[in-house]
Amino acid sequence: MSNKVIHAIYNDDDVLMDAVKQTRAAHHHIEEVYTPFPVHGLDKAMGLAPTRIAIASFIYGLIGLSFAATLMNYIMIVDWPQDIGGKPSFSFIDNMPAFVPIMFELTVFFAAHLMVITFYMRSKLWPFKKAENPDVRTTDDHFLMEVGVHGDEEELVSFFKSTGAVEVKVIEKH
């Protein structure tokens, strides 16, 4: 098993998209693509599975809604029921219209904050983590496709040059 990879560098996102499609059609495994900005449709072109982050967001929202309902029931009904304006309301359902804004806000609060934490954990972006860009130009104006070397190295280099790469390098991964 070789631990060499090819870094094919492109200077246009449309050329990159065509190169990704050609690379997949040639049955080469794309390890990663580094871009300075999100490229629409790149995930589908690379054949990545759809994300399940929306399901996580929905679950986090339900947790926030449940927390809000439980908290307000305990505070306003169980722990300290109040007679407001001569109308005692000692049931959760009678007070529900007044609780809706708080339930909405806590739903959004929990979903947003837990989603950020989930994103950082899934992408392994910890505070003070060093950047893992293989080429600093990918943060400015170039695009890099990293492909594992399996087979003839010279043939792969010529293949990526034919896809429109402005630079092709063979790198030893450590």
Side-chain angles (χ1 to χ4, degrees):
M1 179 87 180
S2 175
N3 56 350
K4 289 184 179 180
V5 292
I6 288 186
H7 285 175
I9 299 174
Y10 300 89
N11 59 4
D12 185 19
D13 57 335
D14 292 328
V15 175
L16 171 74
M17 283 293 288
D18 291 337
V20 166
K21 291 174 185 172
Q22 291 175 30
T23 304
R24 292 251 332 195
H27 303 292
H28 298 298
H29 177 67
I30 299 171
E31 301 285 335
E32 188 65 73
V33 176
Y34 299 90
T35 65
F37 55 83
V39 177
H40 181 70
L42 185 60
D43 53 344
K44 285 186 181 180
M46 288 177 64
L48 298 177
T51 180
R52 296 182 304 257
I53 202 117
I55 297 168
S57 179
F58 180 73
I59 291 169
Y60 296 153
L62 287 179
I63 291 169
L65 181 66
S66 302
F67 178 76
T70 305
L71 180 72
M72 287 183 301
N73 184 55
Y74 176 74
I75 290 172
M76 297 298 290
I77 308 302
V78 176
D79 186 42
W80 196 297
Q82 296 180 25
D83 183 357
I84 300 172
K87 299 177 184 172
S89 299
F90 299 125
S91 73
F92 183 80
I93 200 71
D94 290 339
N95 288 319
M96 180 72 104
F99 294 164
V100 168
I102 299 165
M103 291 191 299
F104 171 76
E105 291 299 332
L106 281 177
T107 300
V108 172
F109 180 85
F110 271 68
H113 286 81
L114 291 175
M115 285 300 297
V116 168
I117 292 168
T118 301
F119 172 75
Y120 284 144
M121 289 174 62
R122 283 291 293 150
S123 61
K124 297 182 177 105
L125 287 175
W126 311 112
F128 311 110
K129 184 177 193 271
K130 295 191 94 165
E132 294 180 1
N133 282 3
D135 193 321
V136 295
R137 294 176 291 176
T138 60
T139 62
D140 186 24
D141 61 349
H142 282 70
F143 305 85
L144 185 142
M145 180 171 32
E146 185 177 275
V147 179
V149 175
H150 303 291
D152 187 18
E153 193 174 300
E154 287 83 20
E155 182 183 319
L156 285 171
V157 170
S158 64
F159 170 77
F160 285 110
K161 284 185 180 177
S162 72
T163 63
V166 295
E167 186 179 328
V168 179
K169 295 186 277 189
V170 178
I171 307 291
E172 188 79 30
K173 275 270 224 290
H174 41 75

Short mmCIF file of all heavy atoms in Angstrom, two decimals, residues 82-128:
data_model
loop_
_atom_site.label_atom_id
_atom_site.label_comp_id
_atom_site.label_asym_id
_atom_site.label_seq_id
_atom_site.Cartn_x
_atom_site.Cartn_y
_atom_site.Cartn_z
N GLN A 82 -48.77 31.60 40.63
CA GLN A 82 -49.10 32.98 40.94
C GLN A 82 -50.52 33.33 40.51
O GLN A 82 -51.02 32.83 39.50
CB GLN A 82 -48.11 33.92 40.25
CG GLN A 82 -46.69 33.73 40.76
CD GLN A 82 -45.72 34.67 40.05
OE1 GLN A 82 -46.12 35.72 39.58
NE2 GLN A 82 -44.46 34.28 40.01
N ASP A 83 -51.11 34.21 41.27
CA ASP A 83 -52.43 34.75 40.93
C ASP A 83 -52.18 36.09 40.25
O ASP A 83 -51.91 37.10 40.89
CB ASP A 83 -53.26 34.92 42.21
CG ASP A 83 -54.66 35.41 41.93
OD1 ASP A 83 -54.97 35.68 40.75
OD2 ASP A 83 -55.44 35.54 42.88
N ILE A 84 -52.23 36.10 38.92
CA ILE A 84 -51.92 37.31 38.16
C ILE A 84 -53.22 37.91 37.64
O ILE A 84 -53.97 37.29 36.90
CB ILE A 84 -50.99 36.99 36.98
CG1 ILE A 84 -49.69 36.40 37.52
CG2 ILE A 84 -50.71 38.23 36.14
CD1 ILE A 84 -48.75 35.86 36.50
N GLY A 85 -53.51 39.15 38.05
CA GLY A 85 -54.72 39.85 37.60
C GLY A 85 -55.99 39.21 38.09
O GLY A 85 -57.02 39.30 37.44
N GLY A 86 -55.95 38.54 39.21
CA GLY A 86 -57.15 37.92 39.76
C GLY A 86 -57.54 36.64 39.06
O GLY A 86 -58.62 36.10 39.28
N LYS A 87 -56.68 36.12 38.19
CA LYS A 87 -56.99 34.90 37.45
C LYS A 87 -55.94 33.85 37.79
O LYS A 87 -54.89 33.80 37.17
CB LYS A 87 -56.98 35.16 35.95
CG LYS A 87 -57.99 36.18 35.51
CD LYS A 87 -57.86 36.42 34.03
CE LYS A 87 -58.82 37.52 33.62
NZ LYS A 87 -58.63 37.95 32.26
N PRO A 88 -56.19 33.00 38.73
CA PRO A 88 -55.22 31.95 39.03
C PRO A 88 -55.18 30.92 37.91
O PRO A 88 -56.23 30.48 37.44
CB PRO A 88 -55.73 31.35 40.33
CG PRO A 88 -57.17 31.68 40.37
CD PRO A 88 -57.35 32.95 39.61
N SER A 89 -54.02 30.61 37.46
CA SER A 89 -53.84 29.60 36.41
C SER A 89 -52.92 28.53 36.95
O SER A 89 -51.71 28.71 37.00
CB SER A 89 -53.22 30.23 35.16
OG SER A 89 -54.06 31.23 34.65
N PHE A 90 -53.51 27.44 37.36
CA PHE A 90 -52.71 26.40 37.98
C PHE A 90 -52.56 25.18 37.06
O PHE A 90 -52.33 24.08 37.53
CB PHE A 90 -53.33 25.99 39.31
CG PHE A 90 -53.39 27.13 40.28
CD1 PHE A 90 -54.58 27.50 40.87
CD2 PHE A 90 -52.24 27.85 40.59
CE1 PHE A 90 -54.64 28.55 41.77
CE2 PHE A 90 -52.29 28.90 41.48
CZ PHE A 90 -53.48 29.26 42.08
N SER A 91 -52.68 25.41 35.75
CA SER A 91 -52.44 24.30 34.81
C SER A 91 -51.55 24.81 33.68
O SER A 91 -51.62 25.97 33.28
CB SER A 91 -53.75 23.75 34.25
OG SER A 91 -54.31 24.65 33.34
N PHE A 92 -50.75 23.92 33.17
CA PHE A 92 -49.81 24.27 32.09
C PHE A 92 -50.55 24.68 30.83
O PHE A 92 -50.19 25.63 30.17
CB PHE A 92 -48.89 23.09 31.81
CG PHE A 92 -47.85 23.37 30.76
CD1 PHE A 92 -46.70 24.06 31.07
CD2 PHE A 92 -48.02 22.94 29.45
CE1 PHE A 92 -45.74 24.33 30.11
CE2 PHE A 92 -47.08 23.20 28.48
CZ PHE A 92 -45.93 23.89 28.81
N ILE A 93 -51.62 23.97 30.50
CA ILE A 93 -52.34 24.23 29.25
C ILE A 93 -53.01 25.60 29.25
O ILE A 93 -53.11 26.24 28.22
CB ILE A 93 -53.33 23.08 28.95
CG1 ILE A 93 -53.72 23.05 27.46
CG2 ILE A 93 -54.57 23.17 29.80
CD1 ILE A 93 -52.61 22.60 26.58
N ASP A 94 -53.46 26.07 30.42
CA ASP A 94 -54.05 27.41 30.49
C ASP A 94 -53.01 28.50 30.27
O ASP A 94 -53.33 29.58 29.76
CB ASP A 94 -54.73 27.64 31.85
CG ASP A 94 -56.00 26.81 32.01
OD1 ASP A 94 -56.56 26.38 30.97
OD2 ASP A 94 -56.41 26.57 33.17
N ASN A 95 -51.79 28.25 30.65
CA ASN A 95 -50.71 29.23 30.51
C ASN A 95 -49.93 29.08 29.20
O ASN A 95 -49.02 29.85 28.95
CB ASN A 95 -49.73 29.10 31.67
CG ASN A 95 -50.30 29.61 32.95
OD1 ASN A 95 -50.97 30.64 32.97
ND2 ASN A 95 -50.08 28.88 34.03
N MET A 96 -50.29 28.11 28.40
CA MET A 96 -49.53 27.81 27.18
C MET A 96 -49.32 29.02 26.27
O MET A 96 -48.19 29.22 25.79
CB MET A 96 -50.20 26.68 26.40
CG MET A 96 -49.48 26.33 25.12
SD MET A 96 -47.97 25.47 25.45
CE MET A 96 -48.50 23.87 25.03
N PRO A 97 -50.30 29.86 25.98
CA PRO A 97 -50.04 31.00 25.09
C PRO A 97 -48.93 31.93 25.59
O PRO A 97 -48.16 32.45 24.80
CB PRO A 97 -51.38 31.73 25.03
CG PRO A 97 -52.39 30.68 25.31
CD PRO A 97 -51.73 29.76 26.29
N ALA A 98 -48.81 32.10 26.88
CA ALA A 98 -47.76 32.95 27.43
C ALA A 98 -46.39 32.25 27.36
O ALA A 98 -45.36 32.91 27.36
CB ALA A 98 -48.07 33.32 28.87
N PHE A 99 -46.39 30.93 27.28
CA PHE A 99 -45.14 30.18 27.28
C PHE A 99 -44.56 29.99 25.87
O PHE A 99 -43.39 29.64 25.73
CB PHE A 99 -45.34 28.80 27.90
CG PHE A 99 -45.67 28.81 29.36
CD1 PHE A 99 -46.19 27.67 29.96
CD2 PHE A 99 -45.47 29.93 30.14
CE1 PHE A 99 -46.48 27.66 31.32
CE2 PHE A 99 -45.77 29.93 31.49
CZ PHE A 99 -46.28 28.79 32.08
N VAL A 100 -45.34 30.21 24.84
CA VAL A 100 -44.91 29.94 23.46
C VAL A 100 -43.63 30.70 23.09
O VAL A 100 -42.70 30.10 22.53
CB VAL A 100 -46.05 30.20 22.46
CG1 VAL A 100 -45.55 30.22 21.03
CG2 VAL A 100 -47.13 29.15 22.62
N PRO A 101 -43.50 32.01 23.36
CA PRO A 101 -42.25 32.68 22.97
C PRO A 101 -41.02 32.09 23.66
O PRO A 101 -39.95 31.95 23.03
CB PRO A 101 -42.46 34.13 23.42
CG PRO A 101 -43.93 34.30 23.48
CD PRO A 101 -44.47 32.96 23.87
N ILE A 102 -41.15 31.72 24.92
CA ILE A 102 -40.01 31.15 25.64
C ILE A 102 -39.66 29.78 25.07
O ILE A 102 -38.49 29.45 24.89
CB ILE A 102 -40.31 31.06 27.15
CG1 ILE A 102 -40.56 32.45 27.69
CG2 ILE A 102 -39.19 30.38 27.89
CD1 ILE A 102 -41.21 32.50 29.03
N MET A 103 -40.68 28.99 24.75
CA MET A 103 -40.43 27.67 24.17
C MET A 103 -39.75 27.81 22.80
O MET A 103 -38.81 27.07 22.48
CB MET A 103 -41.72 26.87 24.05
CG MET A 103 -42.27 26.45 25.40
SD MET A 103 -43.62 25.26 25.32
CE MET A 103 -44.86 26.13 24.42
N PHE A 104 -40.20 28.77 22.01
CA PHE A 104 -39.58 28.99 20.70
C PHE A 104 -38.11 29.40 20.86
O PHE A 104 -37.23 28.85 20.18
CB PHE A 104 -40.34 30.08 19.93
CG PHE A 104 -39.65 30.52 18.68
CD1 PHE A 104 -39.67 29.72 17.55
CD2 PHE A 104 -38.94 31.71 18.64
CE1 PHE A 104 -39.01 30.12 16.39
CE2 PHE A 104 -38.28 32.11 17.49
CZ PHE A 104 -38.32 31.31 16.37
N GLU A 105 -37.85 30.34 21.73
CA GLU A 105 -36.48 30.83 21.91
C GLU A 105 -35.54 29.74 22.41
O GLU A 105 -34.40 29.64 21.95
CB GLU A 105 -36.45 32.03 22.86
CG GLU A 105 -37.08 33.27 22.30
CD GLU A 105 -36.40 33.79 21.05
OE1 GLU A 105 -35.19 33.56 20.89
OE2 GLU A 105 -37.09 34.43 20.23
N LEU A 106 -35.99 28.92 23.35
CA LEU A 106 -35.12 27.85 23.85
C LEU A 106 -34.93 26.74 22.81
O LEU A 106 -33.87 26.12 22.76
CB LEU A 106 -35.65 27.29 25.16
CG LEU A 106 -35.32 28.15 26.38
CD1 LEU A 106 -35.94 27.56 27.64
CD2 LEU A 106 -33.83 28.29 26.56
N THR A 107 -35.94 26.54 21.96
CA THR A 107 -35.78 25.57 20.87
C THR A 107 -34.67 26.04 19.94
O THR A 107 -33.77 25.27 19.59
CB THR A 107 -37.10 25.42 20.09
OG1 THR A 107 -38.11 24.96 20.97
CG2 THR A 107 -36.95 24.46 18.91
N VAL A 108 -34.71 27.29 19.53
CA VAL A 108 -33.69 27.84 18.64
C VAL A 108 -32.33 27.88 19.34
O VAL A 108 -31.30 27.54 18.74
CB VAL A 108 -34.10 29.25 18.15
CG1 VAL A 108 -32.98 29.92 17.39
CG2 VAL A 108 -35.35 29.17 17.31
N PHE A 109 -32.30 28.28 20.60
CA PHE A 109 -31.06 28.37 21.36
C PHE A 109 -30.35 27.01 21.44
O PHE A 109 -29.16 26.90 21.14
CB PHE A 109 -31.35 28.89 22.77
CG PHE A 109 -30.13 29.01 23.64
CD1 PHE A 109 -29.35 30.14 23.61
CD2 PHE A 109 -29.78 27.99 24.51
CE1 PHE A 109 -28.23 30.26 24.41
CE2 PHE A 109 -28.67 28.09 25.32
CZ PHE A 109 -27.88 29.23 25.27
N PHE A 110 -31.11 25.98 21.82
CA PHE A 110 -30.51 24.64 21.94
C PHE A 110 -30.06 24.12 20.58
O PHE A 110 -28.95 23.57 20.46
CB PHE A 110 -31.50 23.66 22.57
CG PHE A 110 -31.44 23.60 24.07
CD1 PHE A 110 -31.84 24.69 24.84
CD2 PHE A 110 -31.00 22.46 24.71
CE1 PHE A 110 -31.78 24.65 26.22
CE2 PHE A 110 -30.94 22.41 26.10
CZ PHE A 110 -31.33 23.51 26.85
N ALA A 111 -30.90 24.28 19.55
CA ALA A 111 -30.53 23.78 18.22
C ALA A 111 -29.27 24.47 17.72
O ALA A 111 -28.35 23.81 17.24
CB ALA A 111 -31.69 23.98 17.25
N ALA A 112 -29.20 25.78 17.85
CA ALA A 112 -28.06 26.52 17.32
C ALA A 112 -26.77 26.18 18.06
O ALA A 112 -25.75 25.87 17.44
CB ALA A 112 -28.33 28.02 17.40
N HIS A 113 -26.81 26.22 19.37
CA HIS A 113 -25.58 26.00 20.13
C HIS A 113 -25.11 24.55 20.05
O HIS A 113 -23.90 24.29 19.93
CB HIS A 113 -25.77 26.45 21.59
CG HIS A 113 -25.78 27.93 21.73
ND1 HIS A 113 -26.89 28.68 21.47
CD2 HIS A 113 -24.81 28.80 22.07
CE1 HIS A 113 -26.61 29.95 21.65
NE2 HIS A 113 -25.35 30.05 22.01
N LEU A 114 -26.01 23.61 20.13
CA LEU A 114 -25.60 22.22 20.03
C LEU A 114 -25.13 21.86 18.61
O LEU A 114 -24.27 21.01 18.44
CB LEU A 114 -26.73 21.29 20.48
CG LEU A 114 -27.03 21.36 21.99
CD1 LEU A 114 -28.25 20.51 22.33
CD2 LEU A 114 -25.83 20.93 22.81
N MET A 115 -25.68 22.53 17.60
CA MET A 115 -25.22 22.32 16.23
C MET A 115 -23.78 22.80 16.06
O MET A 115 -22.98 22.15 15.39
CB MET A 115 -26.11 23.04 15.23
CG MET A 115 -27.44 22.36 15.02
SD MET A 115 -27.27 20.71 14.40
CE MET A 115 -26.52 21.04 12.85
N VAL A 116 -23.44 23.94 16.64
CA VAL A 116 -22.07 24.44 16.56
C VAL A 116 -21.11 23.45 17.22
O VAL A 116 -20.06 23.11 16.68
CB VAL A 116 -21.96 25.84 17.19
CG1 VAL A 116 -20.52 26.26 17.38
CG2 VAL A 116 -22.70 26.86 16.35
N ILE A 117 -21.49 22.97 18.40
CA ILE A 117 -20.65 22.01 19.11
C ILE A 117 -20.51 20.72 18.29
O ILE A 117 -19.42 20.17 18.15
CB ILE A 117 -21.22 21.72 20.52
CG1 ILE A 117 -21.10 22.97 21.38
CG2 ILE A 117 -20.52 20.54 21.17
CD1 ILE A 117 -21.88 22.92 22.67
N THR A 118 -21.60 20.25 17.71
CA THR A 118 -21.56 19.04 16.88
C THR A 118 -20.67 19.24 15.66
O THR A 118 -19.88 18.37 15.31
CB THR A 118 -22.98 18.65 16.43
OG1 THR A 118 -23.79 18.43 17.59
CG2 THR A 118 -22.97 17.41 15.57
N PHE A 119 -20.79 20.40 15.02
CA PHE A 119 -19.95 20.68 13.85
C PHE A 119 -18.47 20.66 14.21
O PHE A 119 -17.66 20.04 13.52
CB PHE A 119 -20.33 22.04 13.25
CG PHE A 119 -19.39 22.47 12.17
CD1 PHE A 119 -19.45 21.89 10.91
CD2 PHE A 119 -18.44 23.44 12.41
CE1 PHE A 119 -18.58 22.28 9.92
CE2 PHE A 119 -17.56 23.84 11.42
CZ PHE A 119 -17.62 23.25 10.16
N TYR A 120 -18.12 21.31 15.30
CA TYR A 120 -16.71 21.33 15.71
C TYR A 120 -16.20 19.94 16.07
O TYR A 120 -15.06 19.59 15.76
CB TYR A 120 -16.50 22.29 16.88
CG TYR A 120 -16.51 23.74 16.46
CD1 TYR A 120 -17.05 24.71 17.28
CD2 TYR A 120 -15.98 24.15 15.24
CE1 TYR A 120 -17.06 26.04 16.91
CE2 TYR A 120 -16.00 25.46 14.86
CZ TYR A 120 -16.53 26.41 15.70
OH TYR A 120 -16.54 27.72 15.32
N MET A 121 -17.03 19.14 16.71
CA MET A 121 -16.60 17.79 17.07
C MET A 121 -16.46 16.90 15.84
O MET A 121 -15.50 16.13 15.72
CB MET A 121 -17.58 17.18 18.08
CG MET A 121 -17.49 17.82 19.44
SD MET A 121 -18.72 17.24 20.60
CE MET A 121 -18.32 15.54 20.73
N ARG A 122 -17.42 16.98 14.90
CA ARG A 122 -17.36 16.14 13.70
C ARG A 122 -16.20 16.52 12.79
O ARG A 122 -15.58 15.68 12.17
CB ARG A 122 -18.67 16.25 12.90
CG ARG A 122 -19.82 15.47 13.46
CD ARG A 122 -19.63 13.99 13.36
NE ARG A 122 -19.66 13.54 11.97
CZ ARG A 122 -19.00 12.49 11.53
NH1 ARG A 122 -18.28 11.78 12.33
NH2 ARG A 122 -19.08 12.14 10.28
N SER A 123 -15.92 17.82 12.69
CA SER A 123 -14.86 18.27 11.80
C SER A 123 -13.51 18.36 12.50
O SER A 123 -12.51 18.72 11.88
CB SER A 123 -15.21 19.62 11.18
OG SER A 123 -15.36 20.59 12.20
N LYS A 124 -13.49 18.05 13.79
CA LYS A 124 -12.27 18.08 14.61
C LYS A 124 -11.60 19.44 14.57
O LYS A 124 -10.38 19.56 14.47
CB LYS A 124 -11.31 16.98 14.18
CG LYS A 124 -11.88 15.60 14.38
CD LYS A 124 -10.88 14.54 13.99
CE LYS A 124 -11.46 13.18 14.28
NZ LYS A 124 -11.90 12.47 13.11
N LEU A 125 -12.41 20.48 14.64
CA LEU A 125 -11.90 21.86 14.69
C LEU A 125 -11.91 22.30 16.14
O LEU A 125 -12.90 22.81 16.64
CB LEU A 125 -12.79 22.79 13.87
CG LEU A 125 -12.67 22.67 12.37
CD1 LEU A 125 -13.68 23.57 11.70
CD2 LEU A 125 -11.27 23.03 11.91
N TRP A 126 -10.81 22.08 16.81
CA TRP A 126 -10.70 22.47 18.20
C TRP A 126 -10.07 23.85 18.29
O TRP A 126 -9.37 24.27 17.38
CB TRP A 126 -9.86 21.46 18.96
CG TRP A 126 -10.29 20.05 18.72
CD1 TRP A 126 -9.60 19.09 18.06
CD2 TRP A 126 -11.54 19.45 19.08
NE1 TRP A 126 -10.31 17.92 18.01
CE2 TRP A 126 -11.51 18.12 18.63
CE3 TRP A 126 -12.66 19.90 19.75
CZ2 TRP A 126 -12.56 17.24 18.83
CZ3 TRP A 126 -13.71 19.01 19.95
CH2 TRP A 126 -13.66 17.71 19.50
N PRO A 127 -10.28 24.55 19.39
CA PRO A 127 -9.61 25.84 19.55
C PRO A 127 -8.08 25.66 19.48
O PRO A 127 -7.54 24.68 20.00
CB PRO A 127 -10.03 26.30 20.95
CG PRO A 127 -11.31 25.58 21.21
CD PRO A 127 -11.21 24.27 20.50
N PHE A 128 -7.43 26.58 18.81
CA PHE A 128 -5.98 26.61 18.65
C PHE A 128 -5.44 25.45 17.82
O PHE A 128 -4.26 25.13 17.90
CB PHE A 128 -5.27 26.68 20.01
CG PHE A 128 -5.82 27.73 20.92
CD1 PHE A 128 -6.55 27.40 22.04
CD2 PHE A 128 -5.65 29.07 20.61
CE1 PHE A 128 -7.08 28.37 22.87
CE2 PHE A 128 -6.16 30.05 21.43
CZ PHE A 128 -6.87 29.71 22.56
#
